[in-house]
Amino acid sequence: MAAERVEDAVSSGMVKLLRFTPSGRKLWIVVGKDSEYWTDPELGFCSCKDFYFNTLSGGDRCYHLKSVARAQEAGGAETFEFSDAEYVQMLQAIASDAELTLLR
Ligand SMILES: [Zn+2]
């Protein structure tokens, strides 16, 4: 069941890769039902509630991290290019989104 959900997210293009130039920094975004989540598979981080309450306390990786891992195996995702100047702005937007999600 959970695996099907991951499959769906990848095939329907809900995993997006934001690439920042010239540094080559990457952010992965998984578009969920009512929000977008930022995940960093290298750090094993996700901005969702499930990550916060389950993964961090020793549970399984959340659905978003699995989706990103699957997308990476499949050769990537739809990629959007941004300049490094936009990186901080993007992180701030994501951070305030995540805060709202956690407070809900
Ligand atoms: Zn997540």
Side-chain angles (χ1 to χ4, degrees):
M1 198 62 192
E4 273 168 39
R5 219 173 139 208
V6 170
E7 204 73 73
D8 276 0
V10 175
S11 59
S12 59
M14 285 161 68
V15 179
K16 296 175 181 174
L17 172 60
L18 312 187
R19 197 164 56 200
F20 296 86
T21 51
S23 70
R25 272 185 288 216
K26 290 173 185 170
L27 282 179
W28 292 83
I29 304 289
V30 180
V31 182
K33 244 187 308 175
D34 42 24
S35 190
E36 293 188 347
Y37 299 102
W38 166 46
T39 77
D40 188 330
E42 278 161 40
L43 296 176
F45 173 82
C46 181
S47 65
C48 77
K49 256 186 187 171
D50 192 34
F51 175 82
Y52 194 77
F53 292 110
N54 296 324
T55 312
L56 276 186
S57 45
D60 202 6
R61 285 181 306 170
C62 70
Y63 152 71
H64 311 101
L65 279 169
K66 287 179 186 170
S67 297
V68 168
R70 189 67 72 87
Q72 285 178 312
E73 281 165 25
E78 196 180 353
T79 305
F80 300 86
E81 304 271 355
F82 293 93
S83 72
D84 281 334
E86 290 168 291
Y87 183 77
V88 172
Q89 233 176 314
M90 200 75 79
L91 279 188
Q92 283 169 345
I94 291 163
S96 65
D97 258 17
E99 251 166 59
L100 291 176
T101 303
L102 291 172
L103 290 173
R104 237 177 246 160

